[in-house]
Every structure is written in structure tokens, then in C-alpha cells.
Amino acid sequence: MSSYAVFLRGVNVGGVTIKMADLKEALKSRPFSGVKTLLASGNVVLSSDLSPVGVKDQFEGCLREAFGYDAWVVVLGADRVGELVAACPYPADDTSTHTYLTLGSDAVVLAELYAAGSALDGTELTRLGPEALAWLAPAGGTLDSPFSKLSSKPKYKASTTTRNLRTMVKVRDAAALL
């Protein structure tokens, strides 16, 4: 059995509201065990005999059936979450900046996002691997930052999601306990 972290895109924003207790209940019908939800922004750790693609398919199907919306998730092995956190070259949040990781389920789309983001003036961006980018945003101005605006475009919606480094650390720690 493998341990995974599942990151939901667009939960509890833009009209899609899912209580984490309801999500956990819905997931009982799927081939997962040890399901834990973290925070209200759609972070789940679980164990399964399925491959990452199988977890993604089952999870998205559950969300579509139980909550009636076109759902997308990014699935990473628990060990990989730890590797990404360790590889992040940016500091923990301070008074002037916040560190984010944009996670992707499609390496080609993430490579395109990285290329486009790298061309933006004033954007601090690092490729952590085929499934993740790390970037800095000014404290209090994340949504207005050039990279945030770029990454929120509809063409990235089905395959990317963003979490701050603090959340990634919490997910890493919870996944390690599975």
C-alpha cells in the first residue's frame, strides 16, 4: 500500500463549497484507507493500492458524483511531497514575502507555465521537478502578483493547483504518519 497526498483544485472558492467531513464520508466508497483531510482548502492524505493515476481517477470521479462539479486533483506520493518541500529554495514566510508551490498533473502544461512565468518581470520562480514550481509573492499581494494572475488562467485550471509552503509542510507531516 502506498501513501499519497491529494490536492484539490478550486475547493471552497468560486462557488464550490465542500465540507471536509462530507468529503471524507464520500471517499469511504473508494479504494482508499487512512483518509485525512487537512485545512479547508482541499488537502487530503490517504493510502491506496492504486497507482497515482488510479488514485486521481477514483478521487475525481468521487468528487464529480458526490458533489456535482467538474473536479480536478493533483496526486503526489507522500515521499515526493517531502522531497519538494526540502528542495524549495525559498525561505519560510517572512514579513515581506510568502512562498508558494504550484503543483501540476501534466508535466507539459507545467513546463509551459514555467516558461511563461520565467518571462515575467520581477517573478522569482524555480522549477522543482516535472510536477512542481516554487515561487515568491509579496506579503499581502499574492493574488495581484504577476505569476498568480498567470497561473489562474483557465488553460491551467484542469492540471494545476497552488499551495503555500506552510500547507505543504503540514501535508508532508500528515502523510508521513500514514
Side-chain angles (χ1 to χ4, degrees), residues 12 34 46 61 74 81 83 109 125 147:
N12 297 334
L46 55 83
V74 174
V81 173
E83 292 167 0
V109 171
L125 181 66
F147 188 77

Side-chain angles (χ1 to χ4, degrees), residues 150-165:
L150 172 66
S151 66
S152 67
K153 289 188 175 193
K155 68 180 174 177
Y156 303 118
K157 184 178 182 180
S159 63
T160 66
T161 191
T162 297
R163 298 295 188 274
N164 65 42
L165 184 57

Side-chain angles (χ1 to χ4, degrees), residues 66-174:
F67 302 104
Y69 80 103
D70 204 10
W72 298 286
V73 302
V74 174
V75 177
L76 297 174
D79 290 343
R80 187 62 180 146
V81 173
E83 292 167 0
L84 293 172
V85 167
C88 184
Y90 305 124
D93 297 348
D94 60 32
T95 57
S96 63
T97 61
H98 294 287
T99 300
Y100 291 92
L101 274 67
T102 295
L103 309 170
S105 59
D106 183 325
V108 173
V109 171
L110 199 66
E112 176 188 315
L113 178 59
Y114 175 73
S118 295
L120 296 171
D121 286 336
T123 299
E124 184 87 23
L125 181 66
T126 300
R127 185 89 189 249
L128 299 178
E131 72 284 83
L133 310 172
W135 53 285
L136 291 175
T142 301
L143 296 177
D144 294 325
S145 71
F147 188 77
S148 180
K149 288 180 180 181
L150 172 66
S151 66
S152 67
K153 289 188 175 193
K155 68 180 174 177
Y156 303 118
K157 184 178 182 180
S159 63
T160 66
T161 191
T162 297
R163 298 295 188 274
N164 65 42
L165 184 57
R166 290 182 321 275
T167 296
M168 293 297 292
V169 168
K170 288 176 185 172
V171 170
R172 176 202 64 196
D173 293 350

